[in-house]
Amino acid sequence: MGTEKLISHADHSRNFLSNQLKASWFNKSIWYQRDKRDVATKKLDEWETLRQLASDIKAHSLSKLDEYLIEFEKNATANGIQIHWAEDDKEHNKIATDILKNHGAKKIVKSKSMLSEECELNHHLEANNIEIIESDLGERILQFSGEKPSHIVMPAIHKTKEEIGELFEEKLNTKPSNDPVYLTQAARLHLRDKFINAHASMSGVNFAIAETGSFVLCTNEGNADLGMTANSKLHIASMGIEKIIPKQEHLGVFIRMLARNATGQPITTYTSHFTKPDEGAEIHIIIVDNNRTKLLGEEKFNSALKCIRCAACMNTCPVFKNSGGHSYNFVIPGPIGAILAPVHDIKKYADMPFASTLCGSCTNVCPVKINIHEQLYDWRQVISQKKSAFTFKGMIMKGAAFVLENTWIYDTSGKMGMFFIKHFRWLVTHATPWGEGRELPDIPKESFKDWYKKNHS
Amino acid sequence: MGAREKILSRIKEGVAPAVSLPDMSITDNWNSDIDVNVLKLVLESVGGEIHILDSVADVDSKLKELFPDIKMAYTNIEGVGFGNVNLDEVKMAHDLAKLEIAVLEGEFAVEENGSVFVSDNKMGNKMIPTITEYLVLVVSKDEIVKNMHEAYKRIDLKNIEYGVFISGPSKTADIESTLVFGAHGAKNLALLLV
Ligand code: SF4
C-alpha cells in the first residue's frame, strides 16, 4: 500500500479546482439540485415526521434483517422469482454471468445500478464476451467516455453539453450540436434499437418488500421498464441485503421522500413494482453482501445501511461541490460514500472521512436520519488510531486532519473558531485543497452567540 | 456452508439496535378531501396534461380531436373505438416499436404527485405504457387518492405481476441538468378524467 492513495482525494481536488471555470460551473449545478430539493420538501408539512418513520422502518429492518430476507426469499420464490446469494462482488459477477451464459444471452441492456458499479460487473461481462449496454442516458454517456459515475443520481453531472455533443458526434454520428433535446433524441433512437434487440435485461433494486416478495425500481427515463418488458424473457436484478423493507404499506414513506429529496420531483416518473415473471420468462434476484454484514457488526457505523441513495447529502456538501464526485476514489462519492468506503478497505479509503468540513448539512437533509457527520468524525478517530500502520504523507494530510479533527474550532461559542480562523487563515484555506483559491469571509468582531444575546434577550 | 447460510449467520452476529416498527396509522392524518385542481397543477408541473370530460362516452371524440392524424394506435378500453393495433399480431418488441398512441385505463390517480397507477392486467402488453410515443390514461374522477400512503392501501402487490405509477412523460436531465421529455418512455402523457 503506497502512501499515494492516502491523499488522493486531496490530489484529485486540487486537479479539479485547477479549472476554475468548470469548477464554478459544477458548483452551481450542484446548488441547483439542492435548491430544488429544498422547495419540494418544504411543501410537505409532515416532512420531519416522514423522516422519523423512514428512519425507524429502516432501523427496524436492519435489526431483523435475516428474518426479512428469509421472508422475502420465500415469497419471491413462491411468485416464481429465482433467488441467489452472493458473499462478494466476485460471486455476484459469476452468478450473473452463469445465468446469462445458460440462456445464451449475449446482448444485455442494463438500467442504473450502483451495486453493479460496486461489483464492476460490466468489465466482467465484457471479458466474457457479453455486450452490456447501459440504458440510463447518463450512464451511457459515461460508457462512451470510459468514465465512472461522479454522482449516484446524475452520473454524468460533471460533463458539459459541449463534451457530450463531441462524444455523440464520435460515437453516434450526430451532427455537431450541444442541444440537450437533440442529443437526448439521438440517444433515444440509438438505445431503442438496443432495447428491442436485447437478449436480457439487468437492473438494481430500490426497495424489496418482504411481505410480498416484490421489488421496486424508480427511474425517470423508463429504461428499467422498457428493458424488462420489451425483452421480458430474462431479467437479473442485483440487490444489497439492506434494500429490504417489511411491508407494502412502508413503501409510501420512502416513495414520498426519495424523488423529492433527490431532484425535487414529487415522485420519479416511473415507480415500478415487479412481483412475478411473465409466463415462460425468468426473473433472478442476486442478494449481495460484499461487506454489508461487516458494517452491520460496527456499532457506530451500521446505521449507514439505512441509506436509500437519494444523493441529497452530496448535493448539499460543501466539499463535494468543490471537489467533484471523482475526487473520491470509492464508487459512492460524497458524505455517504465517505462513511461507507472505510469498511471496504480502511487503508485504501483512509482519507475519505477527512474530505468533509463536518458542517452537518448532510445529516440535516438525510431522509433516513443517518448521523453522517458524526460518523465521519468517528471514522477519523478510528483511522487516526491506526495511523502508524499507514503513514500520512506530508503536511497537507496532517494539516487537514489537524484542522478537521479538532472539534473545538466548531465550539458553539464560536470564539475559539474565530480566533483560529483569524490567526491560521492560511491553514484553513490551504491545508485542504478544496479551500485553495477560496478566501474566507472577514471575521465578525463578535460571535453569533454574543450577537444574539445582545440583540434578542 | 453456502453463501446464503454464511450471510444469514453473519447478519445474526450484527449489532443493529432493536427498534420496533412505527405505528403507520399516523399517515391517516394526512388524508383529506381531494382537490382536482391540485392534481392538475402537479401533473402539469411534471410535463403532463389533463382533460376533464363529462363521461367515458366523450373519450372517443376527445381522442379524435387530440390526434387527428394517427397511423398506429392501441386501446383496450371497452367502448372506445380509437385504435387499430391487434395484439394477437404482436409477437415481439419490433411489432410495437412504431406505436404512436396508447390509450389505457389507469386504476387511480394520486393528487400529490400527478401519477396514475397502471397494472399489467390493463396494459394489453406490458411494454405498451413505455414503448408508445404518446400515452393517454383514462381514470374516473372518483378514483383519485390524496397521497402515496392512500395509494398503497388501494393496491395489493401480491396480486399483480407488474404495476407502475406513471407521473407525466418520460424525462431526463442527464445533459447539464436540462430537463428533456421523452428519454425512453412516452414523450407525452395526457390524463383524461371521466
Ligand atoms: S446518506 Fe441519506 S442523504 Fe445521503 S444518499 Fe443516503 S439517504 Fe440520501
Side-chain angles (χ1 to χ4, degrees):
Chain A
M1 172 100 258
T3 47
E4 213 183 340
K5 275 192 175 156
L6 290 180
I7 59 153
S8 53
H9 180 268
D11 279 346
H12 284 310
S13 308
R14 190 173 293 103
N15 201 5
F16 176 85
L17 287 167
S18 66
N19 185 344
Q20 285 276 346
L21 260 181
K22 195 167 177 192
S24 115
W25 164 85
F26 180 81
N27 191 317
K28 279 199 203 94
S29 2
I30 298 293
W31 259 120
Y32 174 60
Q33 304 302 329
R34 165 73 210 255
D35 276 351
K36 286 191 298 175
R37 176 257 170 210
D38 284 353
V39 172
T41 58
K42 297 265 153 16
K43 279 189 198 151
L44 285 193
D45 293 339
E46 61 268 35
W47 182 258
E48 288 304 317
T49 313
L50 283 170
R51 284 181 78 208
Q52 193 58 51
L53 286 174
S55 172
D56 290 347
I57 296 165
K58 277 284 180 177
H60 169 82
S61 313
L62 289 176
S63 72
K64 291 184 183 290
L65 199 51
D66 51 339
E67 290 171 32
Y68 286 126
L69 281 167
I70 291 169
E71 185 185 345
F72 175 75
E73 179 187 48
K74 188 179 123 237
N75 290 327
T77 307
N79 296 335
I81 292 178
Q82 303 180 44
I83 303 287
H84 310 260
W85 301 73
E87 277 198 90
D88 57 18
D89 46 358
K90 284 182 199 68
E91 192 169 9
H92 165 267
N93 294 348
K94 186 177 179 321
I95 293 169
T97 312
D98 287 349
I99 298 169
L100 294 170
K101 280 189 173 165
N102 286 343
H103 284 78
K106 291 237 155 234
K107 294 176 176 181
I108 320 299
V109 283
K110 175 159 142 287
S111 62
K112 196 161 77 64
S113 150
M114 290 314 294
L115 178 56
S116 77
E117 297 281 348
E118 181 184 321
C119 296
E120 301 196 347
L121 172 74
N122 291 10
H123 290 308
H124 187 85
L125 292 181
E126 280 156 10
N128 281 278
N129 295 318
I130 296 171
E131 180 193 66
I132 177 96
I133 301 287
E134 295 284 354
S135 60
D136 173 85
L137 175 58
E139 292 275 352
R140 187 69 181 135
I141 291 168
L142 298 182
Q143 210 177 13
F144 281 149
S145 68
E147 289 170 281
K148 291 192 166 159
S150 69
H151 189 282
I152 59 175
V153 170
M154 297 160 296
I157 183 99
H158 61 286
K159 294 198 89 66
T160 63
K161 52 183 190 283
E162 288 78 14
E163 289 167 340
I164 296 166
E166 279 172 30
L167 198 60
F168 278 21
E169 246 183 279
E170 183 198 326
K171 303 283 181 184
L172 297 178
N173 285 320
T174 50
K175 61 178 197 225
S177 169
N178 55 25
D179 173 17
V181 176
Y182 170 73
L183 296 173
T184 302
Q185 179 62 24
R188 176 185 171 101
L189 291 174
H190 157 70
L191 286 162
R192 259 297 154 103
D193 188 54
K194 299 290 181 192
F195 281 120
I196 288 174
N197 293 304
H199 301 150
S201 57
M202 295 189 75
S203 72
V205 165
N206 285 95
F207 303 97
I209 303 116
E211 173 189 41
T212 66
S214 321
F215 66 98
V216 178
L217 292 171
C218 305
T219 76
N220 276 321
E221 300 186 3
N223 53 323
D225 296 73
L226 198 54
M228 276 189 80
T229 57
N231 203 303
S232 56
K233 290 284 166 274
L234 175 63
H235 182 82
I236 305 174
S238 310
M239 67 174 253
I241 53 172
E242 79 283 16
K243 295 290 174 190
I244 288 272
I245 57 171
K247 291 175 194 291
Q248 174 184 312
E249 65 172 349
H250 299 134
L251 268 175
V253 173
F254 298 101
I255 300 300
R256 293 189 79 195
M257 301 181 90
L258 180 61
R260 284 185 169 96
N261 221 38
T263 59
Q265 295 168 257
I267 186 170
T268 49
T269 304
Y270 301 89
T271 303
S272 314
H273 311 69
F274 300 90
T275 305
K276 287 182 193 125
D278 267 0
E279 234 181 81
E282 290 181 18
I283 295 178
H284 296 253
I285 296 178
I286 311 176
I287 300 175
V288 184
D289 180 349
N290 209 33
N291 292 318
R292 286 160 178 75
T293 51
K294 192 172 155 200
L295 188 53
L296 202 60
E298 295 277 357
E299 210 178 334
K300 279 189 173 161
F301 304 113
N302 57 19
S303 71
L305 289 166
K306 292 193 291 184
C307 177
I308 59 168
R309 304 284 192 268
C310 72
C313 57
M314 51 202 78
N315 294 339
T316 197
C317 177
V319 173
F320 181 89
K321 279 200 266 279
N322 286 308
S323 62
H326 283 153
S327 65
Y328 305 79
N329 276 320
F330 188 56
V331 55
I332 298 180
I336 180 64
I339 59 174
L340 288 173
V343 87
H344 288 267
D345 186 338
I346 195 162
K347 272 192 196 177
K348 185 171 171 193
Y349 302 119
D351 66 335
M352 284 194 53
F354 293 87
S356 163
T357 63
L358 300 184
C359 68
S361 186
C362 46
T363 302
N364 287 331
V365 299
C366 179
V368 287
K369 292 192 147 191
I370 302 171
N371 58 337
I372 308 170
H373 74 297
E374 288 169 9
Q375 292 196 27
L376 285 163
Y377 179 79
D378 288 336
W379 271 121
R380 290 177 188 186
Q381 307 310 306
V382 174
I383 289 160
S384 301
Q385 275 156 23
K386 296 192 178 187
K387 201 153 52 176
S388 55
F390 33 98
T391 48
F392 284 88
K393 184 185 161 194
M395 168 67 189
I396 289 169
M397 194 65 200
K398 279 192 191 132
F402 174 68
V403 174
L404 299 171
E405 273 180 39
N406 288 276
T407 45
W408 53 265
I409 72 162
Y410 298 99
D411 181 281
T412 46
S413 79
K415 279 183 199 146
M416 284 302 276
M418 280 157 55
F419 172 83
F420 183 87
I421 291 169
K422 201 165 159 194
H423 295 280
F424 297 96
R425 176 181 286 257
W426 181 88
L427 188 56
V428 176
T429 52
H430 292 79
T432 57
W434 55 86
E436 271 173 25
R438 256 145 248 277
E439 289 310 318
L440 288 169
D442 284 339
I443 306 300
K445 300 229 160 27
E446 56 187 344
S447 75
F448 174 76
K449 201 166 149 192
D450 291 344
W451 172 86
Y452 190 86
K453 245 196 234 154
K454 211 154 70 190
N455 292 284
H456 291 269
S457 48
Chain B
M1 209 163 38
R4 179 184 186 275
E5 282 63 40
K6 281 193 208 155
I7 293 169
L8 289 173
S9 82
R10 282 203 295 264
I11 290 173
K12 276 207 169 55
E13 290 160 20
V15 290
V19 175
S20 46
L21 264 183
D23 177 6
M24 296 299 289
S25 66
I26 188 173
T27 64
D28 298 343
N29 300 343
W30 305 325
N31 195 7
S32 58
D33 292 343
I34 299 299
D35 184 344
V36 174
N37 217 29
V38 172
L39 173 65
K40 179 175 188 291
L41 288 174
V42 178
L43 184 55
E44 285 168 356
S45 78
V46 296
E49 51 184 289
I50 186 166
H51 302 278
I52 300 170
L53 310 179
D54 288 334
S55 79
V56 191
D58 298 334
V59 169
D60 248 339
S61 54
K62 188 74 203 173
L63 291 171
K64 285 191 184 107
E65 177 198 321
L66 287 172
F67 312 107
D69 185 26
I70 283 299
K71 291 186 195 66
M72 193 173 172
Y74 171 79
T75 187
N76 58 2
I77 301 179
E78 232 167 277
V80 175
F82 195 83
N84 53 15
V85 172
N86 179 359
L87 284 188
D88 294 338
E89 289 160 17
V90 170
K91 295 278 173 282
M92 48 195 193
H94 272 288
D95 303 329
L96 283 171
K98 297 233 154 29
L99 184 63
E100 289 166 287
I101 316 278
V103 186
L104 300 175
E105 194 183 329
E107 308 219 341
F108 58 89
V110 186
E111 185 198 282
E112 71 161 333
N113 56 32
S115 70
V116 173
F117 187 70
V118 189
S119 75
D120 57 280
N121 55 359
K122 301 269 172 69
M123 289 175 189
N125 178 310
K126 286 175 183 169
M127 76 180 112
I128 285 180
T130 23
I131 207 163
T132 182
E133 294 269 309
Y134 205 127
L135 178 61
V136 180
L137 295 169
V138 182
V139 175
S140 155
K141 283 171 202 148
D142 303 326
E143 305 292 338
I144 304 173
V145 300
K146 194 77 189 171
N147 57 38
M148 291 308 286
H149 308 296
E150 301 309 311
Y152 281 112
K153 288 178 196 163
R154 286 279 311 260
I155 57 185
D156 183 358
L157 289 178
K158 278 195 225 98
N159 294 330
I160 52 171
E161 287 181 11
Y162 163 55
V164 53
F165 289 95
I166 305 176
S167 167
S170 154
K171 53 187 80 69
T172 181
D174 274 346
I175 302 180
E176 271 203 23
S177 307
T178 308
L179 182 63
V180 180
F181 294 114
H184 295 302
K187 290 179 177 172
N188 296 284
L189 180 141
L191 169 60
L192 307 187
L193 277 184
V194 295

